[in-house]
């Protein structure tokens, strides 16, 4: 297993060599079958034929477009749609829980900059996730994990703008099309079944796909009907380590000072039992003076913004050092339907229907040290924890620490959520005469993420001595010595909080509903002025609505009935850590059994009978954004022969007027009232695409245009959200302008042989404006927000117990989205498709697909709006890459195909990238995701011309996911792996 996370594709030579040996091992394969007869037939069944079809589409496009056809989709070992798209040049994959592909970045721009259209209209699909992976998608980014790749007949990634294509994309427009009956020659039926097995879950589960298509010739014209479906059930598991956040030793009131240290910390308190000799009741000051001085002697002025850095501000420890096992059981169901009618050669009518359901139950289990994330007011926390030993490495990273008076926690979370996607699109065309053609389209896509339950339960073991974290032997997965036998449930407690603030467990609940509804109506036409020019005009109206409702609940531990012990409310996590490479990792620990606890206290009843379970209605997040977009365009398609060169392309302009009405419910003195902001803007977006066809099948393409990307919905909502435990406040901004840019592309393509192409291109995006988060420190009471937002879980703002994690007097980190100047993005893209037909014998059945993308972009981020040591309101800035931008991305596929046997091995590499630019607000510059290389393979054998047997391997090197915090220290924030997956399948087609 890779431990650095910084290496590239060269880190996997053994795996690639082994898979390549499988490919060329001399097995024989399937014949290519080309549909014949009806010119409307576009489906292809052989992989080489599929590659050729995709190349023809690319060759005939006016802009820069990459295509994946149906056979490519079926033959790649991909769990879902996102993993199929990662084969496209310039596309990199962002993986979610369990290692599955979730979102894509195109040419370094993250998912929020990419628009996805399904059957001609835009769609958004949102799913949930673990907290460290963003919890819930509240953005415009498309979660491809909702859909099985088999539902789609073709995928196009359009990297350049065109006046006729909807605006809103700065990265790319991805066009997905489901199958239609006229795609096939006649009656077609296919059925496939697979069994999926993962080495970490050790569970085998099914995946089924089917398609039925029929066509009829009648006196009323040609009719066609098609239905297809895909179903998969899978358990995805992740294991690893999380730090959650990196905090300074001075944060949350600091640690308990040892005997002999001055000044004393924490200050004496009779209520909490703190005095000169004790950190609390039964918690003596046992820290080491040498270790204390080693930690407190380190300071950080956070980029010159803190005039007098407190002792320990430069020593950073994990906020929640913990091990995690996440287990997600999901069912993915997809259905498509299509009806087509051609009453004559000049008219066609299509109705496309689509339904997707992605149902999840995710179980997260943690064993952690909670004291490092608690203040004295919360539950005694860090100020009652003594530092026994400490060590820092040469980069200043706190790589070893031993502590007394630490609260240990076992935590269980059950997240139940379902995404449902529905779409209908009615489209038609009519050729009035040889020159004039009219088209119309009307459709709606509706995606709803519903999370009826997100229940978290925590059992605590207070004031444990001997806890230690140790990264010295493994910087990714530390040894965590918890100081107690964590597999023994008798060492944990669940009950009411004590008078001195000692906590014995908590529970937290949440209800969430996020919905995206997009409706599109288009009318356009084309008129062939002459053989060299066609005029195209169109207009459209779109109505997009996003809504988000979140309600929270929670309270402290409840008294257990007589005779009920923790042993009767728990289960065991077993077999943990075998693939993590760490030493001293516990193989088992006590875990919460939610069903057993609910039988005693139904914390999910959200009722007065169970204190703390009632929803905090006044603290709800209730947001809505409505966009109305009216657009029109005019464009000319042209072709000409000049100077012995065939020229073609299009030039036009698109106008779009956007009216965004944003609403958020705000707590105003105990009453929820709507806060509404309306923003209106208009853009004119010219676009030019020019292609020159040179001798020897060389194509030279140039594109230029203006584009925009609208603000994220959640950023537009004029709300105020408080994260009490993190002590952060996020404020929305309904006045945000879109991100605007000028784009330029130049690309050369040489189709040097059948099924073969080599291309090289450069691109530039001059981003005029950008939307970013600006963070500052401020006392909560100075923000003008109601104190009711701080209440939750029955906490007190007036000295009662439990104290609220954030008080009106607390200094919080305030985050706001603002428009700022952008910056340039430059890149290079190279691609090769090379069949080895020149080789002798069976070696001629080999081929290679390869692409490489390099992107360089520098954005000026505002990191602080005020510097206390200099002039008031001075802005501090830092220049860095786009968040989500991997400077280098590459894909490599070696394939083999003969009349019976087909095989391929693929490697997808993505270099490290920024997850967040933090600007040193709390002592860290960035959060960085390590580089990754995923290797997959696929084998298939035709038992008969219609019956095929297949075997696939996904993530065969068990590539981990790692987040690092701060460029200099590179502290591990997250390190997880999800195991290797293997799929055995059979399919039948006639």
């Amino acid at each position: 297993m890779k431990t650095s996370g910084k290496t590239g594709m060269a880190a996997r030579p053994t795996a690639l060599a082994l898979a390549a040996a499988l490919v060329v091992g001399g097995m024989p394969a399937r014949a290519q079958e080309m549909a014949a007869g009806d010119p409307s037939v576009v489906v292809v069944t052989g992989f080489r034929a599929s590659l050729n079809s995709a190349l023809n589409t690319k060759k005939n496009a006016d802009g820069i477009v990459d295509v994946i056809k149906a056979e490519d989709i079926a033959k790649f070992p991909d769990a879902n749609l996102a993993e199929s798209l990662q084969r496209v040049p310039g596309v990199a994959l962002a993986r979610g829980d369990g290692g599955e592909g979730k979102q894509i970045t195109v040419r370094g721009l993250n998912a929020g900059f990419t628009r996805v259209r399904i059957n001609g209209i835009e769609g958004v699909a949102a799913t949930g996730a673990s907290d460290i992976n963003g919890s819930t998608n509240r953005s415009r980014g498309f979660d491809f994990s909702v859909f099985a790749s088999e539902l789609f007949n073709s995928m196009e990634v359009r990297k350049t703008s065109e006046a006729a294509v909807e605006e809103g994309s700065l990265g790319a427009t991805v066009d997905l099309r489901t199958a239609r009956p006229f795609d096939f020659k006649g009656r077609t039926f296919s059925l496939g079944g697979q069994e999926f097995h993962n080495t970490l879950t050790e569970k085998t589960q099914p995946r089924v796909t089917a398609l039925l298509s029929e066509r009829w010739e009648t006196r009323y014209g040609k009719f066609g009907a098609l239905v297809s479906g895909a179903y998969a059930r899978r358990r995805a598991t992740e294991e690893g380590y999380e730090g959650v956040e990196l905090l300074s030793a001075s944060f949350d009131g600091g640690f308990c000072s040892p005997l002999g240290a001055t000044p004393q910390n924490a200050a004496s308190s009779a209520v909490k039992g703190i005095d000169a000799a004790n950190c609390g009741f039964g918690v003596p000051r046992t820290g080491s003076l040498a270790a204390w001085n080693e930690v407190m002697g380190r300071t950080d002025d956070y980029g010159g913004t803190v005039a007098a850095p407190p002792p320990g501000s430069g020593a950073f420890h994990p906020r929640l050092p913990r091990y995690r096992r996440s287990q997600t059981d999901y069912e993915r169901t997809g259905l498509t339907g299509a009806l087509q009618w051609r009453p004559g050669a000049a008219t066609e009518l299509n109705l496309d229907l689509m339904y997707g359901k992605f149902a999840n139950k995710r179980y997260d289990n943690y064993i952690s040290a909670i004291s490092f994330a608690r203040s004295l007011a919360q539950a005694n926390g860090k100020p009652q924890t003594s530092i026994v030993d400490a060590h820092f490495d040469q980069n200043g990273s706190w790589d070893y620490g031993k502590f007394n008076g630490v609260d240990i926690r076992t935590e269980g979370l059950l997240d139940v959520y379902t995404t449902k996607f529905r779409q209908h699109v009615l489209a038609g065309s009519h050729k009035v005469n040889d020159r004039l053609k009219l088209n119309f389209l009307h459709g709606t896509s509706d995606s709803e993420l519903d999370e009826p339950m997100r229940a978290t339960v925590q059992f605590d073991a207070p004031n444990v001595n001997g806890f230690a974290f140790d990264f010295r032997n493994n910087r990714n997965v530390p040894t965590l010595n918890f100081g107690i036998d964590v597999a023994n449930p008798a060492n944990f407690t669940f009950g009411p909080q004590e008078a001195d603030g000692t906590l014995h467990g908590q529970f937290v609940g949440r209800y969430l509903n996020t919905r995206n509804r997009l409706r599109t109506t288009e009318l356009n036409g084309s008129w062939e002025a002459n053989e060299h020019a066609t005029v195209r005009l169109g207009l459209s109206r779109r109505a997009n609505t996003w809504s988000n409702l979140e309600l929270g609940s929670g309270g402290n531990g409840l008294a257990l009935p007589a005779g009920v012990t923790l042993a009767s409310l728990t289960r065991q996590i077993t077999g943990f850590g075998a693939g993590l490479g760490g030493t001293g990792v516990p193989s088992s620990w006590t875990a919460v059994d939610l069903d057993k606890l609910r039988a005693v206290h139904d914390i999910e009843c959200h009722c007065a009978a169970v204190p703390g379970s009632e929803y905090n209605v006044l603290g709800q997040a209730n947001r809505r954004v409505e966009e109305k977009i009216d657009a029109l365009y005019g464009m000319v398609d042209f072709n000409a022969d000049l100077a012995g060169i065939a020229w073609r392309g299009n030039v036009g302009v698109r106008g779009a007027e956007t009216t965004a009405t944003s609403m958020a419910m705000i707590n105003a003195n105990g009453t929820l009232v709507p806060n509404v902001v309306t923003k209106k803007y208009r853009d004119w977006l010219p676009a030019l695409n020019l292609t020159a066809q040179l001798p020897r099948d060389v194509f030279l393409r140039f594109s230029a245009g203006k584009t925009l990307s609208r603000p994220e919905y959640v950023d537009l909502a004029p709300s105020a959200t408080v994260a009490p435990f993190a002590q952060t406040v996020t404020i929305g901004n309904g006045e945000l302008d879109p991100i605007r840019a000028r784009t330029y592309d130049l690309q050369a393509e040489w189709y040097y042989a059948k099924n073969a192409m080599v291309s090289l291109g450069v691109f530039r995006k001059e981003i005029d404006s950008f939307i970013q988060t600006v963070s500052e420190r401020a006392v909560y009471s100075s923000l003008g927000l109601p104190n009711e937002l701080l209440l939750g879980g029955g906490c007190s703002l007036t000295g009662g117990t439990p104290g609220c994690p954030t008080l009106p007097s607390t200094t919080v980190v305030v985050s706001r989205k603002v428009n700022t100047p952008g910056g340039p993005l430059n890149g290079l893209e190279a691609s090769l498709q090379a069949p080895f037909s020149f080789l002798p014998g069976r070696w001629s059945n080999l081929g290679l697909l390869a692409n490489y993308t390099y992107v360089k972009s520098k954005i000026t981020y505002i990191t602080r709006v005020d510097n206390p040591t200099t002039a008031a309101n001075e802005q501090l800035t830092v220049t860095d890459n786009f968040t989500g931008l991997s400077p280098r991305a590459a894909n490599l596929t070696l394939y083999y195909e003969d009349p019976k046997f087909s095989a391929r091995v693929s490697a997808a590499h993505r270099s490290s990238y920024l997850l967040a630019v933090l600007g040193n607000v709390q002592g860290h510059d960035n959060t960085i995701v390590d580089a990754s290389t995923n290797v997959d393979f696929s084998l298939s054998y035709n038992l008969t011309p219609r019956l095929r047997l297949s075997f696939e391997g996904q993530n065969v090197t068990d590539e981990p996911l790692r987040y690092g915090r701060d460029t200099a220290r590179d502290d591990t924030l997250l390190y997880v792996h999800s195991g290797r997956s293997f799929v055995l399948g059979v399919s039948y087609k006639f």
Side-chain angles (χ1 to χ4, degrees):
M1 176 177 291
K2 182 184 72 175
T3 59
S4 168
K6 303 293 184 183
T7 56
M9 297 186 74
R12 297 288 183 264
T14 304
L16 286 172
L18 177 61
L22 287 172
V23 170
V24 299
M27 293 182 170
R30 64 176 296 181
Q32 303 174 13
E33 300 174 3
M34 294 297 293
D38 193 328
S40 68
V41 177
V42 298
V43 72
V44 287
T45 55
F47 181 64
R48 289 174 181 267
S50 174
L51 294 177
N52 193 46
S53 175
L55 278 191
N56 285 334
T57 303
K58 179 180 179 68
K59 181 190 293 188
N60 294 325
D62 287 330
I64 297 175
V65 178
D66 286 291
V67 184
I68 303 178
K69 290 292 186 178
E71 185 72 5
D72 304 28
I73 300 168
K75 284 295 192 67
F76 277 114
D78 302 325
N80 62 39
L81 191 57
E83 296 185 8
S84 297
L85 284 166
Q86 72 174 324
R87 315 296 175 187
V88 172
V91 175
L93 198 59
R95 296 183 180 271
D97 297 322
E100 264 206 25
K102 184 177 182 180
Q103 294 184 335
I104 63 170
T105 68
V106 182
R107 291 180 165 181
L109 296 171
N110 62 43
F113 295 106
T114 297
R115 300 276 66 77
V116 176
R117 301 193 304 181
I118 301 176
N119 295 322
I121 70 168
E122 185 179 354
V124 174
T127 64
S130 58
D131 287 343
I132 201 161
N133 284 324
S135 180
T136 300
N137 179 4
R138 302 176 180 89
S139 74
R140 297 178 189 265
F142 194 96
D143 286 349
F144 290 91
S145 50
V146 172
F147 301 106
S149 57
E150 293 93 340
L151 294 175
F152 297 92
N153 203 41
S154 68
M155 309 177 191
E156 292 187 3
V157 179
R158 179 180 297 275
K159 300 173 184 175
T160 57
S161 60
E162 182 178 291
V165 176
E166 293 174 354
E167 78 295 335
S169 168
L170 186 60
T173 297
V174 177
D175 272 307
L176 310 174
R177 189 168 78 79
T178 57
R180 291 173 176 168
F182 290 172
D183 294 340
F184 301 91
K185 183 178 180 181
R187 177 183 297 170
T188 300
F189 174 73
S190 64
L191 180 66
Q194 295 179 329
E195 283 292 322
F196 173 94
H197 180 80
N198 180 270
T199 58
L200 191 57
T201 63
E202 296 185 350
K203 194 172 180 66
T204 300
Q205 294 174 297
R207 181 176 178 178
V208 180
T209 60
L211 180 145
L212 174 63
S213 179
E214 180 64 287
R215 297 174 55 156
W216 301 273
E217 297 274 358
T218 75
R219 62 178 178 172
Y220 301 106
K222 298 179 180 180
F223 286 90
L226 178 147
V227 62
S228 72
Y231 172 81
R233 188 169 70 241
R234 179 181 171 186
R235 171 169 292 177
T237 300
E238 275 190 348
E239 286 189 352
Y241 162 80
E242 289 182 7
V244 179
E245 182 57 83
L246 272 295
L247 300 177
S248 69
S250 58
F251 196 79
D252 276 334
F255 289 96
C256 180
S257 58
L259 297 173
T262 56
Q264 173 188 310
N265 193 58
S268 296
S269 168
V271 174
K272 294 185 175 294
I274 302 173
D275 56 30
N278 297 281
C279 304
F281 289 114
V283 188
R285 296 181 183 269
T286 55
S288 161
L289 185 59
W292 171 265
N293 288 333
E294 172 70 9
V295 172
M296 294 301 158
R298 296 174 178 268
T299 59
D300 191 325
D301 65 2
Y302 301 160
T305 62
V306 178
S313 57
F316 299 95
H317 62 79
R319 178 176 179 264
L320 280 173
R322 64 189 188 185
Y323 296 128
R324 166 165 72 97
R325 173 180 283 174
S326 291
Q327 175 183 298
T328 303
D329 289 316
Y330 72 68
E331 292 187 12
R332 181 188 287 122
T333 304
L335 296 171
T336 75
L339 298 174
Q340 286 186 286
W341 177 37
R342 285 183 188 157
T347 306
E348 182 171 320
L349 194 65
N350 304 308
L351 175 63
D352 295 299
L353 305 172
M354 186 172 185
Y355 171 81
K357 181 180 178 181
F358 189 51
N360 288 263
K361 286 187 177 180
R362 194 186 74 255
Y363 305 84
D364 293 342
N365 285 102
Y366 306 93
I367 184 72
S368 64
I370 185 64
S371 291
F372 300 94
R374 287 175 168 170
S375 67
L376 197 62
Q378 289 172 252
N380 297 335
K382 197 160 78 172
Q384 290 193 345
T385 296
S386 296
I387 304 172
V388 177
D389 200 359
H391 181 270
F392 295 81
D393 68 13
Q394 67 275 13
N395 297 321
S397 181
W398 194 349
D399 60 1
Y400 172 71
K402 186 176 181 180
F403 309 86
N404 285 341
V406 177
D407 301 338
I408 306 301
R409 166 173 288 178
T410 180
E411 177 176 347
L413 181 153
L414 172 59
D415 197 359
V416 180
Y417 58 91
T418 299
T419 298
K420 291 183 179 179
F421 182 92
R422 301 174 179 87
Q423 186 196 68
H424 66 270
V425 181
L426 179 66
S429 64
H430 177 66
K431 196 169 184 179
V432 179
N433 53 46
D434 289 342
R435 292 192 172 190
L436 180 62
K437 183 177 181 181
L438 300 177
N439 305 281
F440 81 91
L441 177 150
H442 175 78
T444 300
S445 68
D446 195 328
S447 172
E448 182 179 20
L449 167 61
D450 189 63
E451 182 188 57
M453 180 170 68
R454 193 176 200 261
T456 302
V457 179
Q458 301 151 347
F459 296 160
D460 287 0
N463 302 324
V464 172
N465 293 334
F467 171 80
F469 61 78
D470 192 348
F471 290 89
R472 292 174 296 184
N473 294 321
N474 188 327
R475 78 183 185 96
N476 295 320
V477 183
T479 298
L480 300 182
N481 185 338
F482 292 97
I484 56 172
D485 179 6
V486 292
N488 184 356
N491 286 327
F492 294 93
T493 61
F494 186 72
Q497 189 171 23
E498 297 181 28
D500 70 345
T502 300
L503 201 62
H504 292 278
Q506 290 180 312
F507 62 93
V508 180
R510 185 181 78 177
Y511 169 79
L512 177 144
N513 184 278
T514 296
R515 187 170 183 177
N516 291 274
R517 183 178 176 86
L518 298 92
R519 185 171 64 249
T520 301
T521 302
E522 292 183 1
L523 179 65
N524 59 72
S526 62
W527 176 63
E528 186 178 335
N530 54 52
E531 61 181 346
H532 298 295
T534 299
V535 178
R536 298 167 63 187
L537 300 172
L539 53 86
S540 67
R541 166 160 287 187
R542 285 174 282 163
N544 303 337
T545 303
W546 172 85
S547 62
N548 172 244
L549 172 65
E550 300 180 40
L551 290 167
S553 63
N556 293 324
L558 302 169
L560 298 178
V564 175
T565 65
L566 264 292
S568 65
L569 304 179
T570 56
R571 57 190 178 88
Q572 287 289 314
I573 297 294
T574 59
F576 180 81
L580 292 175
T583 58
V585 176
S587 61
S588 63
W589 73 77
T590 297
V592 175
D593 191 313
L594 181 61
D595 290 337
K596 292 178 181 177
L597 177 65
R598 290 187 65 186
V600 177
H601 291 299
D602 188 5
I603 61 172
E604 282 296 306
C605 74
H606 305 295
C607 59
V610 181
S613 72
E614 293 177 286
Y615 284 124
N616 177 17
V617 176
L618 290 178
Q620 68 179 270
N622 191 340
R623 302 169 282 197
R624 184 182 180 91
V625 177
E626 295 182 355
E627 284 180 337
K628 295 182 179 179
I629 305 168
D630 293 322
L632 54 83
Y633 73 88
M635 189 172 85
V636 176
D637 294 333
F638 58 84
N639 66 85
D641 290 322
L642 296 174
I645 298 174
W647 301 83
R648 59 181 169 84
N650 58 64
V651 61
V653 63
R654 184 178 188 87
E657 183 177 85
T658 305
T659 302
T661 302
S662 309
M663 185 280 296
M665 301 299 291
I666 298 293
N667 184 345
N669 298 319
T671 302
L672 290 173
V673 297
N675 183 26
V676 180
V677 177
T678 299
K679 173 76 173 180
K680 189 173 183 177
Y681 51 90
R682 182 180 296 166
D683 290 270
W684 293 101
L685 307 169
L688 167 69
N689 293 282
L690 181 63
T691 298
Q693 185 170 350
L694 305 177
R696 301 178 62 84
D697 231 3
V698 173
F699 288 72
L700 186 64
R701 304 183 192 271
F702 173 75
S703 297
K706 291 184 67 175
T707 61
L708 66 82
S709 183
R710 294 183 174 89
E712 298 287 10
Y713 295 124
V714 71
D715 296 335
L716 286 171
S719 59
T721 305
V722 179
F725 290 98
Q727 297 183 340
T728 61
V729 178
T730 302
I731 299 175
N733 183 357
E735 296 287 349
L736 288 171
D737 286 318
I739 296 174
R740 297 181 171 98
R742 296 181 300 276
T743 66
Y744 307 93
D745 287 79
L746 180 64
Q747 181 164 296
E749 302 161 6
W750 180 25
Y751 297 84
Y752 63 90
K754 184 180 179 181
N755 291 350
M757 181 208 67
V758 59
S759 69
L760 180 65
V762 293
F763 53 89
R764 178 178 174 84
K765 299 179 187 293
E766 296 176 351
I767 300 169
D768 297 326
S769 62
F770 190 59
I771 297 172
Q772 67 178 72
T773 302
V774 173
S775 299
E776 61 179 317
R777 290 180 178 275
V779 176
Y780 180 84
S781 59
S782 70
L783 300 176
L785 299 175
N787 290 341
E788 285 82 0
L789 292 176
L790 304 177
L791 298 173
C795 69
S796 171
L797 297 173
T798 57
T801 58
C804 290
T806 299
L807 303 173
S809 59
T810 301
T811 298
V812 295
V813 175
V814 184
S815 299
R816 315 170 196 260
K817 292 288 186 177
V818 297
N819 288 105
T820 61
L825 182 149
N826 299 304
L828 178 147
E829 197 169 84
S831 181
L832 173 66
Q833 183 168 312
F836 296 164
S837 52
F838 55 87
L839 294 177
R842 67 179 56 180
W843 294 97
S844 64
N845 297 319
L846 282 167
L848 179 70
L849 306 175
N851 60 71
Y852 173 81
T853 305
Y854 173 77
V855 183
K856 182 179 181 181
S857 175
K858 295 299 180 183
I859 292 294
T860 298
Y861 293 91
I862 298 174
T863 59
R864 185 73 66 82
V865 297
D866 189 19
N867 182 351
T869 63
T870 59
N873 300 318
E874 180 188 47
Q875 288 186 345
L876 299 184
T877 62
V878 63
T879 301
D880 220 321
N881 282 338
F882 261 98
T883 55
L885 182 150
S886 290
R888 290 169 298 279
N891 287 281
L892 180 67
T893 297
L894 181 65
Y895 68 88
Y896 177 93
E897 186 173 55
D898 69 23
K900 283 189 174 294
F901 179 72
S902 179
R904 73 211 60 217
V905 57
S906 298
H909 172 72
R910 182 178 185 182
S911 65
S912 63
Y913 61 93
L914 299 182
L915 186 66
V917 175
L918 305 174
N920 212 18
V921 172
Q922 293 180 297
H924 329 290
D925 58 358
N926 298 319
T927 301
I928 304 128
V929 181
D930 277 8
S932 61
T933 301
N934 285 76
V935 179
D936 312 308
F937 71 83
S938 173
L939 311 172
S940 66
Y941 184 79
N942 277 12
L943 298 173
T944 73
R946 301 186 185 276
L947 185 63
R948 185 180 73 185
L949 187 67
S950 63
F951 179 64
E952 301 173 2
Q954 301 166 4
N955 190 25
V956 295
T957 57
D958 193 11
E959 184 77 349
L961 173 66
R962 181 182 183 272
Y963 298 166
R965 173 58 60 82
D966 192 73
T967 304
R969 298 191 314 272
D970 195 24
D971 293 321
T972 298
L973 196 65
L974 169 75
Y975 184 93
V976 293
H977 77 118
S978 54
R980 302 168 177 84
S981 299
F982 299 96
V983 185
L984 181 64
V986 61
S987 63
Y988 182 78
K989 183 176 182 179
F990 69 87

